[in-house]
Structure formats: structure tokens, C-alpha cells
Amino acid sequence: MSQTEQIIERGKRVLIGNYARLPVVMARGEGAFAWDADGNKYLDLFAGFGGCVLGHCHPALVAAATDQAHKLWHVGNTFYTEPQIDVAERLNKFAFPGQAFFCHSGMEANEAAVKLTRLRGGQSSPKKWKMLSFNKSFHGRSLAMVAATGNPAVKAGFDPQVPGFTQVEPGDFDALAAAVDDETAGIIMEPIQGEGGINLYPPDFAARVRKLCDKRGLTLIFDEVWTGCGRTGHWFGHQYFADSSGKSVLPDIMTLGKAVGGGLPVGIMFARPEISALLTPGKHGCTLGANAICMAVCRTIFDVIEREKLVEHAAKLGEHGLSRLRNESRIKVRVVEARGRGLFIGIELKEEAPRIVEKGLEHGIIINLTSKKIVRLAPPINITPQQWDQGLDAVINTIATI
Ligand code: PMP
């Protein structure tokens, strides 16, 4: 047995089998590349489910983590620490005026957002407590987020579902409006559905949802766990929403995960101050949330993205990628469509291709498959144009030779 096979055997014995792991041991990463334990090199077009938004071991992030590790790791939220304030200030600068709560994951950020929504709804009469979300959505794996998620496979085996969560068809405004009753507290939606297959909404849909929320006193949560931090060619995915007059569409609460940690565990709930004020001492918390090392890295992610103009870079590379994928004659027979925004791209295949990720590895790329037929690309947003073209060549070869 090779050394790699031995490691895999050890892993199979002691790791729970809730992930369909590939038979590869990843050992090292640098920029957009990762190497396995046998020295094979891969261009990473999925960035650890979007977490490594600046690629692997970015020198500025390594320096931020190392510097902070020599200063202070964690004291708990009974004290002020500066790195988390710096992060919250950056969110005010790049998103909208608000206040931040820090935790470790997207799921926890969404839990906090729903709790806050209920606190707000509890002030009305009758009390508002129910949430609406969409089919094909994904919001996390806690019991409440399983109930919020619009995917029967995620819910299966975990009944009874947490009450108060209903899903409607994404993009169907009339169905959404009809589902609101006097007890509805809020709506949670991803600006682009990620796990559901890179699904966008009809133009104007988000603006109409915003108006509905205003009219019925509902809290609007944008789950930006996938779409935050420049990935979509905007700082945040909701920034591509506009009403018919071009006015932007803002949420009451935005949740973040994945990219904000650059590969470390960071989740953020960011809320308009009138609403966040309801989260008074004792109402919510997270022991290690906002630990100084994660926050120093998070702050640096925003700074690198701004300094290196990576939002614009992602938009430009995304357009180039979509145009290549849409015009490539070699894959036309196999593809329904290529869609997405920025460096968040889904290629919907005509037929299921369960082995396509392994095939990608054989072509030297890391890609992902979701909803059985949708190949997802979410490379580090600082991937170079040359690397991106090299990756697209390999994606096209992989699909052409399924
Ligand atoms: N929201 C969305 C939109 C997600 O895609 C995910 C994870 N894929 C989550 C929430 C949950 O994030 P985490 O795994 O960090 O809990």
C-alpha cells in the first residue's frame, strides 16, 4: 500500500463518513494551486467551497495571522478588541450602515439573524415569528437552518422539522406574497442560490421582495455566505439588485461566512442598527466569536481586495469565463447553459455526470458538482487571467470528454 493509501485507510477508520471524500490527500497550497501528498499539482477552481477567496497561504493573510498570534489570541467579548471593530467598519464602508456580530460559520450567522428577526417580530401584535425562504435554497445544517433550507435531501431523517419555516418557489413573487400572513416575521434569501445550482432571480424580483417586506413589516435577510466578499463582481451579491429606477436594494440583515475567513472559521451577522439594538446582553453570544486572529485575517482580506481591485477583477474574469464557456463548440452538446456572476459560475449539464470531479482532477483542476448536474466554479478571486484561461481550458476538456 502506498503512503497515500495508508493515510486514506486511517482516515476511513476514524473520520465520520458524512462527506463523500475523494481518494486524494491534499498536503499543501500556494495561491491558486494545491498539491496532494504524492506531489500532483492542481489548479483550484473551487477554493475550499469559496473559503479561500484569496487562494492558499496568501502572504498578507499569513502575516496578519502570525502578527496577531504573537499579540493576543482571545479574551472573550467582555472586552473591546480592535481587529473586530476594524472588520465592522469595513462592512460599513463596503456594504451599508450597520453593526456586526461575529461567530464561526454561515449557519451560525443565519441562526443569529433568525433569532434577531424573531425578537423584532415579537414586538408586533400578533407576534411575528415565522420565516419564508425558497426552494433550492441552502442556509446551513443546524436544525433551524435545515428547516429553512429548500432541499428535501437536507431535511430527510431530521423530522420533526423546527416549526415556522416555509419555502416557496424562487422568483415567484405572487407565491411569496400569498405565503405572508400576520405571523410572518421575515424572509431569508441568497442573492444567488449557491448549493441549489447558481440560480439567479428575475430582474426586479429582489426589489419587489424588499417592497413587500416594507409593506408587511418583515425583516429581509440576505444570506451572503456564498456571495460575499467580491466573489460575484460586487463587494456583496445584493449590490447587483436594483429596482426599475436603478435604486439599490438593501437587506435589514446580511449574513456572511466562507470567504470572510479566507479559510479560517468566521461567520458574521451584520444588521441595520435599529434592528441590531434589540440584541441586548444575554440574548445571544459565541465564546470564540471575533477571536483576534480570525479578525486580523478578516480585516486583511477586505484590505487586499480593495487595494488590488479584486472586485473589478472578479467581474472582468467572470465575464470572460462565461463568454468562453457559452461559445465553446466542443461542449455545446453537453451543456444546457453557463450562468453566474463574477467568479461564481455554474455550468448546467444535460446529463448527470457523477464522476466529473474525479475527471477534473485527472485534468489537473479542482471543481465541484452540485444538484447532480451543475458544475460549479468558484476560484480564488485573485486568480490571474493566465491561470483562469488555463483552468477554463481544463474545464472545457473535462466536460468535452465526460
Ligand atoms: N448559507 C449558504 C448560502 C451556504 O452556501 C452555506 C454553506 N454552503 C451556509 C449558509 C452554511 O455555511 P457553513 O457551512 O459555514 O455553516
Side-chain angles (χ1 to χ4, degrees), residues 239-261:
Q239 291 166 340
Y240 82 80
F241 293 149
D243 70 9
S244 48
S245 65
K247 195 169 150 262
S248 55
V249 177
L250 296 180
D252 298 300
I253 306 175
M254 170 171 80
T255 56
L256 297 166
K258 297 184 189 285
V260 271

Side-chain angles (χ1 to χ4, degrees), residues 72-142:
L72 179 76
W73 288 34
H74 179 61
V75 283
N77 285 293
T78 35
F79 299 96
Y80 287 95
T81 48
E82 215 176 348
Q84 62 173 296
I85 298 168
D86 290 339
V87 172
E89 285 176 350
R90 280 153 181 75
L91 291 171
N92 275 271
K93 178 172 176 188
F94 299 119
F96 52 85
Q99 293 185 313
F101 161 80
F102 296 98
C103 49
H104 313 306
S105 68
M107 170 270 277
E108 283 174 276
N110 285 337
E111 284 279 342
V114 171
K115 282 180 75 176
L116 181 52
T117 299
R118 282 201 181 173
L119 276 183
R120 188 183 184 207
Q123 299 193 318
S124 329
S125 178
K127 280 191 184 346
K128 292 166 176 269
W129 63 284
K130 295 179 189 162
M131 296 297 304
L132 292 171
S133 59
F134 292 103
N135 293 333
K136 296 192 186 167
S137 63
F138 188 92
H139 299 294
R141 299 283 189 172
S142 64

